[in-house]
Amino acid sequence: MQRAIWAGLIIVLLIVVGTALLRSSKRSPSLPVLGSVPDFSLTERSGTIVTANELKGKPWVADFIFTRCGGVCPTLSARFAHLQGTVQLVSFSVDPANDTPAVLQEYAGRYHADAKSWLFLTGERTALDHLIMQGFRLSVEQREGATDANPNELITHSDRFVLVDSALQIRGYYRGTDDEGLERLAADLRWLDSNP
């Protein structure tokens, strides 16, 4: 009888330890810190100035678009529209000469962008190029002097979504055009929410 009690206790202990080990092996690994977003001061579609410091305190996702783009930008913006309401979104224009606040306001309207949860930022080209290339570590290239070119082919830029944590640290890059990238982004956002 005493052997049966001990055997039962050992089995229960093994089940508890096994369950704990299984749960810990399924936890997401911590997200690496891939860089930090430097300070910036840019103009939002509403005409107000937005700084990096104002985005501290909660995670956010950045993308890089321009309103004349006939390539990847409409896809990126449509995917951002589906993320709306789940996280703060920030779209940076890579064509600030054309993308004035009024132009960005009209573009945002096409995607029913909520002004509180989806910002559209523009500013001086040198400031934006520096922020994108040095801060976010992504590419952007302007084709100067090609007056006969199609306007939506004048700028080459990244199709990545960038996950930024509440301390302005870059925690992940995701291809904004594929479902796998969005699934990884959603999983990493959940991890950040549970590991502030």
Side-chain angles (χ1 to χ4, degrees):
M1 179 77 149
Q2 204 172 22
R3 281 185 171 179
I5 291 173
W6 279 107
L9 286 174
I10 290 172
I11 289 171
V12 168
L13 182 62
L14 288 173
I15 290 171
V16 169
V17 169
T19 302
L21 287 173
L22 184 63
R23 283 185 181 165
S24 68
S25 70
K26 288 186 174 182
R27 287 187 188 139
S28 297
S30 65
L31 294 175
V33 174
L34 304 170
S36 294
V37 176
D39 192 28
F40 63 78
S41 180
L42 297 170
T43 305
E44 210 276 326
R45 64 179 153 153
S46 63
T48 61
I49 301 299
V50 174
T51 66
N53 195 48
E54 292 174 58
L55 294 171
K56 279 185 176 178
K58 60 183 176 181
W60 50 282
V61 179
D63 78 341
F64 308 88
I65 54 101
F66 66 108
T67 61
R68 297 185 293 170
C69 176
V72 70
C73 300
T75 300
L76 297 177
S77 295
R79 288 186 177 253
F80 249 35
H82 288 294
L83 289 173
Q84 197 170 195
T86 63
V87 64
Q88 176 69 56
L89 303 172
V90 183
S91 291
F92 293 88
S93 172
V94 298
D95 184 18
N98 180 70
D99 290 344
T100 64
V103 170
L104 289 173
Q105 181 74 21
E106 188 275 326
Y107 182 82
R110 290 186 230 164
Y111 296 95
H112 307 287
D114 176 40
K116 292 179 183 173
S117 63
W118 188 354
L119 303 175
F120 288 80
L121 302 180
T122 190
E124 292 182 4
R125 175 177 283 172
T126 54
L128 277 160
D129 285 354
H130 179 78
L131 175 64
I132 294 166
M133 292 188 281
Q134 303 302 314
F136 286 102
R137 299 182 177 142
L138 294 171
S139 63
V140 61
E141 183 179 349
Q142 314 282 334
R143 286 181 49 203
E144 300 295 338
T147 56
D148 60 339
N150 183 336
N152 62 27
E153 295 173 357
L154 292 177
I155 303 169
T156 303
H157 63 93
S158 177
D159 69 347
R160 297 296 191 260
F161 289 167
V162 183
L163 176 59
V164 180
D165 70 16
S166 61
L168 299 180
Q169 298 176 113
I170 297 169
R171 304 304 288 270
Y173 294 91
Y174 313 85
R175 177 163 270 131
T177 56
D178 69 49
D179 294 336
E180 183 182 334
L182 291 181
E183 288 169 14
R184 282 191 320 104
L185 172 60
D188 290 350
L189 269 168
R190 285 192 298 273
W191 186 88
L192 274 182
D193 284 340
S194 62
N195 297 280

CSV table of all heavy atoms in Angstrom, one decimal, residues 19-28:
chain,number,residue,atom,x,y,z
A,19,THR,N,5.1,19.0,-17.4
A,19,THR,CA,4.3,20.1,-17.9
A,19,THR,C,5.0,21.5,-17.8
A,19,THR,O,4.9,22.2,-18.8
A,19,THR,CB,2.9,20.2,-17.1
A,19,THR,OG1,2.3,18.9,-17.2
A,19,THR,CG2,2.0,21.3,-17.6
A,20,ALA,N,5.7,21.7,-16.7
A,20,ALA,CA,6.4,23.0,-16.6
A,20,ALA,C,7.5,23.0,-17.7
A,20,ALA,O,7.7,24.1,-18.3
A,20,ALA,CB,7.0,23.1,-15.2
A,21,LEU,N,8.2,22.0,-17.9
A,21,LEU,CA,9.3,22.0,-18.9
A,21,LEU,C,8.7,22.2,-20.3
A,21,LEU,O,9.3,22.9,-21.1
A,21,LEU,CB,10.1,20.7,-18.9
A,21,LEU,CG,11.0,20.5,-17.7
A,21,LEU,CD1,11.6,19.1,-17.7
A,21,LEU,CD2,12.1,21.6,-17.7
A,22,LEU,N,7.6,21.6,-20.6
A,22,LEU,CA,7.0,21.7,-21.9
A,22,LEU,C,6.5,23.2,-22.1
A,22,LEU,O,6.7,23.7,-23.2
A,22,LEU,CB,5.8,20.8,-22.0
A,22,LEU,CG,5.1,20.7,-23.4
A,22,LEU,CD1,6.0,20.3,-24.5
A,22,LEU,CD2,3.8,19.8,-23.3
A,23,ARG,N,5.9,23.8,-21.1
A,23,ARG,CA,5.5,25.2,-21.2
A,23,ARG,C,6.7,26.1,-21.4
A,23,ARG,O,6.6,27.0,-22.2
A,23,ARG,CB,4.7,25.6,-20.0
A,23,ARG,CG,3.3,25.1,-20.0
A,23,ARG,CD,2.5,25.6,-18.8
A,23,ARG,NE,1.2,25.1,-18.8
A,23,ARG,CZ,0.4,25.2,-17.8
A,23,ARG,NH1,0.8,25.8,-16.7
A,23,ARG,NH2,-0.8,24.7,-17.8
A,24,SER,N,7.7,25.9,-20.7
A,24,SER,CA,8.9,26.8,-20.9
A,24,SER,C,9.6,26.6,-22.2
A,24,SER,O,10.1,27.6,-22.8
A,24,SER,CB,9.9,26.5,-19.7
A,24,SER,OG,10.5,25.3,-19.9
A,25,SER,N,9.5,25.4,-22.8
A,25,SER,CA,10.1,25.2,-24.1
A,25,SER,C,9.3,25.9,-25.2
A,25,SER,O,9.8,26.2,-26.3
A,25,SER,CB,10.3,23.7,-24.4
A,25,SER,OG,9.0,23.1,-24.7
A,26,LYS,N,8.0,26.1,-25.0
A,26,LYS,CA,7.1,26.8,-26.0
A,26,LYS,C,7.1,28.3,-25.9
A,26,LYS,O,6.5,28.9,-26.8
A,26,LYS,CB,5.7,26.2,-25.8
A,26,LYS,CG,5.5,24.8,-26.3
A,26,LYS,CD,4.1,24.4,-26.3
A,26,LYS,CE,3.9,23.0,-26.8
A,26,LYS,NZ,2.5,22.6,-26.9
A,27,ARG,N,7.7,28.9,-24.9
A,27,ARG,CA,7.8,30.3,-24.8
A,27,ARG,C,8.6,30.9,-25.9
A,27,ARG,O,9.6,30.3,-26.3
A,27,ARG,CB,8.4,30.7,-23.5
A,27,ARG,CG,7.4,30.5,-22.3
A,27,ARG,CD,8.0,31.1,-21.0
A,27,ARG,NE,7.2,30.7,-19.9
A,27,ARG,CZ,7.6,30.3,-18.8
A,27,ARG,NH1,8.9,30.3,-18.5
A,27,ARG,NH2,6.8,29.9,-17.8
A,28,SER,N,8.2,32.0,-26.4
A,28,SER,CA,8.9,32.7,-27.4
A,28,SER,C,10.3,33.2,-26.8
A,28,SER,O,10.3,33.6,-25.7
A,28,SER,CB,8.2,34.0,-27.9
A,28,SER,OG,7.0,33.6,-28.5
